[in-house]
Amino acid sequence: MAALYKFHPGRTPLLVSMPHTGTHLPLEFKKRLTAAGLAMPDTDWHLEKLYDFLDELGASVLVATHSRYVVDLNRPPDNANLYPGQDTTPLVPIDTFHKEPLYRRGAEPPESEIAERVATYWRPYHAKLAEELERLREKFDCALLWDAHSIFSAVPRFFSGKLADLNLGTADGRSCAGGIGESLLKKIAGYSAVLNGRFKGGYITRTYGDPANGVHAVQLELSEATYMHESPPYRTRNDLLSKLKPQLRALIEEFCRLGHAQRTG
């Protein structure tokens, strides 16, 4: 079986998680998918390239290798809806964000298979995430979790119109110390941005953010229009990348500064 994630340990309190950038599909799943499923349009494309400065900042980095179509690492294991009253894709998706079927007729996974996928793919990623956060908290007296995501700029299923360029989520201020989200928002220049708008943070941000115990978590959902072509083969745009990377680095550096202030304050 292919490795379930890639992990690079860092030398600072910062851990960056990328749960949706993987593109590996086990052969037994591949055989059952439609053309839409095999294209994996809902991947968080090119995030490792976009965040290629993280090693310079001393960050630990955890990257999922498998597609979110195998199991969604940013959903609760009990499949609870993170946004009650709004449409959202489940723990094991059966259609794309644009409601195209992922599986051939009759090939959808039964409940027993979903439970097996949680055990095989979901739990190891979360075990590593929890382990690294605890290591950082013990070593530095705090841990800073940045959950990195991206999505199409227009997905009528989830939101009307066009998404803001940079969407920060702090679970309405519960996943990190007060003021961190607001300070990060002020650090954004030249892009449209929102804090706790349509995307407030998924399961990872809401679960691991524990500011009372020194763990501060923030999710950033990027509009893919800020750095890439949004149609197949989903290539990056170097002109946009060169503009966006300094903004991302400034946000990460500010997050680290704010986290350090919490530790020493």
Side-chain angles (χ1 to χ4, degrees):
M1 187 171 69
L4 299 179
Y5 54 76
K6 293 181 285 183
F7 176 69
H8 174 74
R11 58 187 184 276
T12 71
L14 176 65
L15 169 62
V16 177
S17 164
M18 300 181 188
H20 290 156
T21 197
T23 55
H24 180 69
L25 288 166
L27 183 59
E28 62 269 25
F29 300 159
K30 249 184 184 178
K31 293 175 180 176
R32 297 153 58 190
L33 293 180
T34 62
L38 291 170
M40 296 179 285
D42 305 321
T43 302
D44 291 7
W45 296 106
H46 308 299
L47 290 190
E48 288 181 274
K49 184 176 183 179
L50 196 54
Y51 284 90
D52 64 5
F53 55 82
L54 290 173
D55 188 51
E56 294 175 20
L57 299 184
S60 296
V61 183
L62 180 62
V63 181
T65 55
H66 288 60
S67 170
R68 68 188 301 159
Y69 293 163
V70 176
V71 67
D72 193 326
L73 300 171
N74 204 29
R75 297 290 184 272
D78 64 358
N79 205 24
N81 190 333
L82 293 170
Y83 295 94
Q86 300 184 66
D87 195 359
T88 185
T89 49
L91 177 65
V92 172
I94 58 170
D95 57 7
T96 71
F97 289 172
H98 291 94
K99 294 196 172 184
E100 301 165 292
L102 292 179
Y103 291 89
R104 297 176 183 177
R105 190 182 301 274
E108 298 86 354
E111 287 298 320
S112 58
E113 182 182 338
I114 291 173
E116 185 177 326
R117 292 194 197 186
V118 170
T120 304
Y121 303 99
W122 191 98
R123 296 205 181 280
Y125 187 90
H126 283 269
K128 187 63 181 179
L129 185 57
E131 174 191 285
E132 179 61 8
L133 286 173
E134 182 58 22
R135 183 187 75 84
L136 295 175
R137 196 175 65 84
E138 288 184 1
K139 183 173 182 178
F140 298 105
D141 294 327
C142 76
L144 306 174
L145 173 61
W146 187 271
D147 205 39
H149 296 265
S150 68
I151 191 172
F152 291 121
S153 61
V155 188
R157 175 178 183 174
F158 301 143
F159 51 84
S160 59
K162 282 230 166 189
L163 189 67
D165 295 330
L166 279 72
N167 301 264
L168 292 162
T170 63
D172 290 323
R174 294 187 299 275
S175 68
C176 59
I180 287 182
E182 290 76 9
S183 295
L184 291 172
L185 190 64
K186 290 176 184 175
K187 200 74 176 175
I188 296 170
Y191 293 94
S192 60
V194 66
L195 173 63
N196 293 316
R198 173 61 180 87
F199 297 100
K200 300 176 187 293
Y203 178 81
I204 289 172
T205 304
R206 300 184 198 196
T207 299
Y208 296 101
D210 185 7
N213 289 301
V215 182
H216 305 278
V218 172
Q219 176 179 293
L220 178 62
E221 186 83 62
L222 286 167
S223 165
E224 290 179 344
T226 60
Y227 69 94
M228 60 175 272
H229 295 281
E230 295 188 90
S231 56
Y234 305 114
R235 293 194 179 98
T236 54
R237 283 185 51 183
N238 289 335
D239 58 327
L240 298 180
L241 270 176
S242 62
K243 179 188 174 189
L244 182 58
K245 275 188 185 181
Q247 174 66 88
L248 289 180
R249 183 166 183 152
L251 282 175
I252 296 278
E253 289 176 340
E254 179 70 358
F255 184 44
C256 292
R257 185 189 70 79
L258 294 166
H260 185 267
Q262 291 295 321
R263 181 179 56 173
T264 59

